[in-house]
Amino acid sequence: MNQKETETPKISVIVSTYNAEEWLKKVLWGFNCQIFKDFEVVIADDGSGPKTKELLEEMSKKVFYNIVHVWQEDDGFQKSRILNKAVEASNADYIIMTDGDCIPREDFVEVHYINKEPGYFISGGYYMLPMNISKMITLEDIEKQNCFNIHWLKKKGIPKTFKNNKLTANGVISKLLNTFTPTNASWNGHNSSGWKKDILNVNGFDERMQYGGQDRELGERLFNFGIKSKQLRYSAVCVHLDHKRGYKTPESIAKNQAIRKETKSNKMVWTHYGITK
């Protein structure tokens, strides 16, 4: 029995992926640089080919945390289904969800851990990087936290915008920005966390949902269930690597909006298309 697997971790981090080894490797290295170390990483793999499995075997030997690989056959965009399987496979009482193209800052897991609270879920933020910088980031840049350093990014050509506060704000400033941000604290697939029992109580993700807002619908049912949310966009930070969005179609958006409308108007808590069928 490997040391990594002997005790139940305090946190399960679910990372969704699909055939994106170059990005996933950077993300896994980001988790290897975390200050808070009592977590496992559960890979929610929506049908990747053998290269992802090979990468995970290779990375398992290099990182301090345990990696659990949950895979399903490729059947088009079935992210909700694989996330439900990953929730069931996770070993901790508290779950952070993020994507395989979001590199976490070194305090990412710690911020979620210290802010978790019964009756709440947490909504974090992300900082979008252009493709040229996404490719340029090396494992050493992640170790040195260069990719979160606004001066380093500006040298690489990042423009000056208000969003840069996500990387520079700390302490009182980040608390103020968290409080006054105009975005409501919804469940975001790239950076959110909550209690496993709460997710199970609303039966997880609705597996009918396609690309575009399928994570928000889970948050809406959590709200209907009485769970509140905390906004930590300026404290729980990850950088989002650029990628093509191949699954976003007008049909998928319309279908998802119809499901979300039903959830809202009927104040639905449970989905019949979730973990328990």
Side-chain angles (χ1 to χ4, degrees), residues 144-155 167-168:
K144 291 181 173 168
Q145 300 287 288
N146 287 340
C147 50
F148 306 98
N149 180 331
I150 201 64
H151 305 295
W152 185 85
L153 289 167
K154 278 181 180 164
K155 279 183 194 159
L167 299 180
T168 55

Side-chain angles (χ1 to χ4, degrees), residues 4-13 36-42 65-66 68 89-95 113:
K4 299 186 205 178
E5 298 170 24
T6 48
E7 285 167 26
T8 305
K10 287 201 166 71
I11 301 267
S12 293
V13 181
F36 180 89
K37 295 193 174 342
D38 194 352
F39 64 89
E40 65 178 359
V41 168
V42 181
Y65 53 83
N66 191 36
V68 180
S90 59
N91 294 298
D93 293 336
Y94 197 78
I95 290 173
Y113 181 73

Side-chain angles (χ1 to χ4, degrees), residues 166-199:
K166 284 185 183 169
L167 299 180
T168 55
N170 51 36
V172 177
I173 305 288
S174 59
K175 283 201 175 96
L176 276 171
L177 289 168
N178 286 334
T179 307
F180 294 112
T181 179
T183 319
N184 64 359
S186 54
W187 186 281
N188 303 310
H190 49 260
N191 182 354
S192 287
S193 66
W195 298 92
K196 182 175 179 176
K197 68 176 174 54
D198 294 339
I199 297 167

Side-chain angles (χ1 to χ4, degrees), residues 11-16 31 79 83-84 86-87 90 94-99 102 108 112 122 124 187-194 199 204-205 215 218 238:
I11 301 267
S12 293
V13 181
I14 295 178
V15 177
S16 64
F31 281 107
K79 187 177 177 183
L83 286 173
N84 281 342
V87 167
S90 59
Y94 197 78
I95 290 173
I96 300 172
M97 286 193 194
T98 184
D99 288 331
C102 293
F108 179 83
H112 278 281
I122 289 171
W187 186 281
N188 303 310
H190 49 260
N191 182 354
S192 287
S193 66
I199 297 167
F205 291 88
D215 38 10
L218 169 73
C238 55

